[in-house]
Amino acid sequence: MLPSTSVNSSVQGNGVLNSRDAARHTAGAKRYKYLRRLFRFRQMDFEFAAWQMLYLFTSPQRVYRNFHYRKQTKDQWARDDPAFLVLLSIWLCVSTIGFGFVLDMGFFETIKLLLWVVFIDCVGVGLLISTLMWFISNKYLVKRQSRDCDVEWGYAFDVHLNAFYPLLVILHFIQLFFINHVILTDTFIGYLVGNTLWLIAVGYYIYVTFLGYSALPFLKNTVILLYPFAPLILLYGLSLALGWNFTRALCSFYKYRVK
């Protein structure tokens, strides 16, 4: 159930925050509040975070509708509850351990792979992509008449997490059931199944990212975020024609990492 909207009592009649409340809404204050709650599990709403994870597959627009409610009630687009990040981290750990098991890795190799995936693939790449999208959206997509509005970096990071979750489930969970007996076989069906899962996963990432930025009313031309679909489909067709197996390459890369 989505939270209802309400008027923020800290907003004055002219629509401007008073000095005390404005200090509470600075980027530093929001970041401090978020990080402080990261170690207080009892204050996290895991039920609502699980609801968001479900709807990222079935109706991602509803997830971003909630971001509108948060802006109206708490004067920020980004999440103030780290529950989603915690659940995503759990998913990432469990699925990576499953990957290590399927690839017949030892205990220490699996731990090493887990550290690589969490801190490099998820956090490191996520920080890079979020910063890049934050810069591009503020530099080129903000409407001229809305220069007083900007995309919060925290929101850009939330959009990345939202888009990363379906990709994680498809490539690190669903794919596990087909790797050894289907995908890694030297057959057309093998790389057809594997590459199709990659197409769906990356396509989900692009689409959910587009929804995240198009949900901001002060951005324009967000449809350009869908343009990567063209080279993605072209690469998919080329991979089938040439017999490239993206999952085999991923597995080889993972094994190389833990040597």
Side-chain angles (χ1 to χ4, degrees), residues 15 75 106 115 122 151 160 166 183 200 203 253:
D75 195 39
L115 295 176
C122 182
V151 179
H160 166 72
I183 297 176
I200 296 172
F253 178 62

Side-chain angles (χ1 to χ4, degrees), residues 17-185:
L17 292 171
N18 60 50
S19 58
R20 182 178 179 182
D21 290 321
R24 295 176 179 176
H25 287 76
T26 62
K30 294 174 182 177
R31 183 166 55 249
Y32 171 75
K33 181 181 178 181
Y34 185 89
L35 293 176
R36 184 181 60 182
R37 293 189 64 181
L38 190 59
F39 301 98
R40 300 183 178 182
F41 292 96
R42 292 185 179 181
Q43 296 183 5
M44 299 183 195
D45 191 350
F46 290 107
E47 182 178 353
F48 184 66
W51 173 91
Q52 290 181 316
M53 288 182 164
L54 173 63
Y55 277 96
L56 281 172
F57 277 100
T58 59
S59 182
Q61 296 90 338
R62 295 188 63 181
V63 176
Y64 287 114
R65 200 177 305 157
N66 171 256
F67 282 78
H68 276 275
Y69 296 148
R70 183 179 299 108
K71 177 61 176 177
Q72 294 172 352
T73 58
K74 300 183 179 181
D75 195 39
Q76 70 178 66
W77 290 97
R79 290 185 177 98
D80 60 342
D81 184 353
F84 187 93
L85 178 61
V86 172
L87 290 184
L88 178 63
S89 301
I90 295 173
W91 258 103
L92 190 60
C93 292
V94 172
S95 62
T96 303
I97 292 173
F99 230 106
F101 177 79
V102 169
L103 296 182
D104 198 26
M105 293 182 179
F107 175 77
F108 292 105
E109 291 177 329
T110 302
I111 296 300
K112 189 175 180 180
L113 176 64
L114 178 61
L115 295 176
W116 269 99
V117 170
V118 171
F119 292 104
I120 303 299
D121 296 347
C122 182
V123 177
V125 175
L127 293 176
L128 180 63
I129 293 177
S130 301
T131 303
L132 180 63
M133 292 300 300
W134 168 78
F135 173 79
I136 292 175
S137 57
N138 281 316
K139 183 72 173 180
Y140 301 106
L141 300 182
V142 175
K143 297 177 182 177
R144 181 173 302 178
Q145 64 272 25
S146 302
R147 287 301 175 182
D148 56 331
C149 298
D150 64 340
V151 179
E152 302 168 9
W153 186 91
Y155 181 80
F157 188 64
D158 281 338
V159 171
H160 166 72
L161 294 182
N162 290 343
F164 182 77
Y165 173 68
L167 182 146
L168 170 68
V169 172
I170 294 171
L171 295 183
H172 258 230
F173 180 69
I174 296 177
Q175 189 172 222
L176 292 181
F177 298 97
F178 303 95
I179 284 184
N180 287 332
H181 301 292
V182 178
I183 297 176
L184 295 185
T185 59

